[in-house]
Amino acid sequence: MSKPKGFEKPTGFRDYTPHVVSKLRMIERNVLECMERWGYRQIITPTIEYYDTVGVASSTSDRKLFKLLNSRGTTLVLRSDLTAPIARVVSSMLKDEALPLRLSYHANVFRSIEEEAGREAEFFQTGVELVGDDSPEADAEVVALAIASLQAAGVSSFKIAMGHMGFLNGLLEEVIPGQTAEQEQLKEGLLGRDYVGYRQSIEALHLESKQKQQLEAILRLRGGKEICTHAGELSSSVEAAESIAHLCAVFEVLEAYGVSEHVLIDLTMIGDFSYYTGMTFEGYAAELGSPVCSGGRYDNLLQQFGRALPATGFALKTNRIIDGVHGISIEEKKPVRIEYSPERRAEALAEAARLRSLGQNVVTSLLDDKRPKAVASGTDAKQAEQVIIYGSKQGGQ
């Protein structure tokens, strides 16, 4: 393997230029302030966790985890999401706090990838976890907050697709009971949006006509509140009925929030089926075909850390918003430029300090005809809001 050149970096990682960082920080600040207004407190967890705890509990497949060894030979991982680390903290340091807990975060996460164009191994997530409430009100709250957060991030045109894991589980167990491998294959097709493959998997089961129709009908269960009725007619499973009742109760709460126009019910939406246990959702911006946020209910995660509590939450895919959504524009704030001669240095730097205390950006440079102009100026006059000169060059200030 050849030695990397000095300007190269590992595949999947990127540099953020000042303009992009400004946009990232504005989105981060706006969204976290939005979440704070909803009662969510920010939490920070380590970049590195133990593989045997957070790594195993994560929703990320094992092959996508960045693993490393410490000096004692213990396997560690770079965090691949924030939900599992927060579950660890909730089950330990926050175990005595009153429920429900409302926590927010903004952090970089890491997922190992194959070398494919456009795939990132490090990216940012901004999200929340609502722990200790299993009601439709809680699920509706995180969806409504996701909508508010997308708007705070500058995403003006989007749709939230909302489904429920329990409905699909109940339907599959009703139609092909006990056939775990076949059920997982069908779920894989829905998870990957491979509807051709999903139909092929149905054909391979050699079912009766009615059973085939039941499984194929789920592909048409996308729309508004009327889907609640259609879904109820599709399955007689108790689990499916309870799930659709919960989902439709969530939709009613979203109507009360006044945000239901952003939401459609999509019962092919199952999220990561090894992770989510109930309501799941994804948000799609008009400019992008891939989701800009995702979330749902994961009631089994915290018990892996010794505290069985229901939980729900979501994360914004901040990098996709930065790169693909044009809602937030950053206007560069030009600094004041102060140039000074050596004998007036103290006076000029005092003025710079005064202006900075008032919130003004200020750059300073020494007036010196012996220095190259590019070095002496520092900031070109066209890049400065105002130029102030302290020195004999132009007879003073």
Side-chain angles (χ1 to χ4, degrees):
M1 183 177 178
S2 62
K3 183 178 179 180
K5 297 179 176 63
F7 57 81
E8 288 185 312
K9 58 188 179 297
T11 301
F13 293 84
R14 66 186 283 188
D15 299 307
Y16 292 82
T17 60
H19 179 76
V20 177
V21 171
S22 294
K23 189 172 182 180
L24 170 67
R25 295 307 181 203
M26 179 173 285
I27 291 173
E28 172 190 359
R29 182 170 60 253
N30 291 351
V31 172
L32 287 174
E33 286 177 355
C34 172
M35 293 169 173
E36 185 177 7
R37 289 193 293 270
W38 285 60
Y40 287 76
R41 298 173 295 159
Q42 191 174 355
I43 187 171
I44 297 175
T45 65
T47 305
I48 296 176
E49 297 273 1
Y50 284 117
Y51 169 75
D52 288 333
T53 56
V54 168
V56 172
S58 168
S59 64
T60 308
S61 63
D62 195 75
R63 65 183 178 83
K64 292 185 178 180
L65 295 174
F66 276 102
K67 299 176 185 177
L68 57 156
L69 297 176
N70 66 10
S71 59
R72 297 186 299 276
T74 305
T75 304
L76 309 173
V77 293
L78 295 178
R79 63 185 173 214
S80 62
D81 67 10
L82 271 294
T83 302
I86 290 174
R88 174 184 58 76
V89 176
V90 168
S91 301
S92 53
M93 298 177 68
L94 301 180
K95 64 182 179 180
D96 295 326
E97 292 212 10
L99 299 174
L101 281 170
R102 290 177 169 86
L103 302 171
S104 65
Y105 59 83
H106 174 83
N108 55 342
V109 297
F110 305 84
R111 294 178 190 173
S112 179
I113 61 166
E114 297 178 3
E115 294 189 6
E116 300 174 11
R119 301 293 300 276
E120 292 188 325
E122 179 189 19
F123 49 93
F124 289 90
Q125 290 186 339
T126 312
V128 303
E129 312 296 348
L130 174 51
V131 180
D133 188 342
D134 62 358
S135 69
E137 299 282 340
D139 283 332
E141 178 176 315
V142 298
V143 175
L145 178 51
I147 291 169
S149 298
L150 286 171
Q151 292 169 333
V155 185
S156 58
S157 180
F158 59 89
K159 276 289 183 184
I160 302 289
M162 186 172 66
H164 199 294
M165 282 297 304
F167 179 81
L168 182 63
N169 288 338
L171 177 64
L172 292 178
E173 189 59 31
E174 177 185 0
V175 177
I176 48 174
Q179 299 183 47
T180 304
E182 290 78 4
Q183 291 181 14
E184 297 300 306
Q185 187 174 8
L186 290 169
K187 290 179 182 178
E188 287 281 5
L190 294 177
L191 181 63
R193 298 296 189 186
D194 180 9
Y195 300 140
V196 173
Y198 177 78
R199 288 191 173 94
Q200 290 173 343
S201 297
I202 294 173
E203 290 296 330
L205 293 172
H206 304 294
L207 301 172
E208 294 180 2
S209 177
K210 180 182 177 181
Q211 294 172 308
K212 288 172 58 177
Q213 290 174 3
Q214 280 182 285
L215 295 180
E216 289 178 349
I218 197 170
L219 299 177
R220 298 188 294 274
L221 293 180
R222 301 178 74 249
K225 198 172 182 180
E226 73 280 357
I227 297 302
C228 298
T229 301
H230 298 329
E233 295 169 350
L234 183 61
S235 174
S236 59
S237 161
V238 173
E239 182 179 6
E242 291 177 347
S243 299
I244 198 63
H246 181 98
L247 189 64
C248 293
V250 172
F251 194 88
E252 289 178 358
V253 180
L254 292 172
E255 288 179 320
Y257 273 110
V259 297
S260 59
E261 72 273 12
H262 296 292
V263 182
L264 62 86
I265 294 175
D266 180 358
L267 292 178
T268 68
M269 171 62 56
I270 62 173
D272 183 339
F273 57 80
S274 65
Y275 189 67
Y276 291 113
T277 59
M279 183 274 296
T280 64
F281 67 94
E282 288 183 342
Y284 291 85
E287 299 99 319
L288 294 173
S290 52
V292 291
C293 76
S294 61
R297 178 161 291 281
Y298 53 95
D299 287 346
N300 295 335
L301 176 61
L302 274 90
Q303 67 186 19
Q304 297 184 51
F305 296 94
R307 193 179 186 193
L309 286 174
T312 185
F314 74 88
L316 297 190
K317 301 178 187 299
T318 315
N319 285 59
R320 291 180 184 172
I321 296 173
I322 292 171
D323 296 334
V325 179
H326 307 295
I328 282 185
S329 60
I330 302 296
E331 184 176 344
E332 296 289 349
K333 186 177 182 181
K334 292 182 179 181
V336 171
R337 180 159 61 93
I338 296 179
E339 298 181 4
Y340 54 88
S341 59
E343 63 272 13
R344 299 192 67 183
R345 180 185 291 113
E347 184 183 356
L349 296 183
E351 176 63 7
R354 185 188 72 82
L355 292 175
R356 288 170 182 147
S357 71
L358 298 175
Q360 178 66 58
N361 298 344
V362 182
V363 297
T364 62
S365 65
L366 179 68
L367 284 171
D368 189 345
D369 292 335
K370 296 178 182 179
R371 302 169 71 201
K373 184 177 181 182
V375 175
S377 297
T379 301
D380 187 87
K382 293 180 180 178
Q383 297 175 305
E385 179 182 279
Q386 181 184 7
V387 179
I388 302 174
I389 297 178
Y390 285 80
S392 58
K393 205 171 188 181
Q394 293 186 11
Q397 184 178 355

